Amino acid sequence: LGLFAELFLVACIVLPTFAVVLVAMVALQGGMGHTQLVTVVLGIALGLIPILQSMIIILVDGSQPIE
């Protein structure tokens, strides 16, 4: 269960945070417009995070013994 806790922290908290910061830095360098920035950040927040959390739930549920 500790492994899944570490996986959750890395996949669901650190990775999206790093991705948002990276996208913001690219936008500050002039590589992307405001509309693209908002679209990518919303895609991360509304798409990537729920998918990663669903995968963690499926992994934890699949690792439990069947009664």
Side-chain angles (χ1 to χ4, degrees):
L1 198 56
L3 177 68
F4 290 125
E6 289 290 330
L7 184 65
F8 174 78
L9 285 175
V10 170
C12 296
I13 296 174
V14 175
L15 179 70
T17 305
F18 179 73
V20 168
V21 169
L22 188 68
V23 167
M25 295 303 290
V26 168
L28 284 174
Q29 295 295 325
M32 141 184 332
H34 177 70
T35 307
Q36 291 173 331
L37 173 66
V38 171
T39 304
V40 171
V41 170
L42 281 176
I44 291 170
L46 300 176
L48 182 66
I49 294 173
I51 289 171
L52 291 173
Q53 288 181 345
S54 301
M55 289 173 52
I56 298 289
I57 290 171
I58 291 169
L59 283 172
V60 170
D61 186 48
S63 70
Q64 299 299 317
I66 299 173
E67 294 181 12

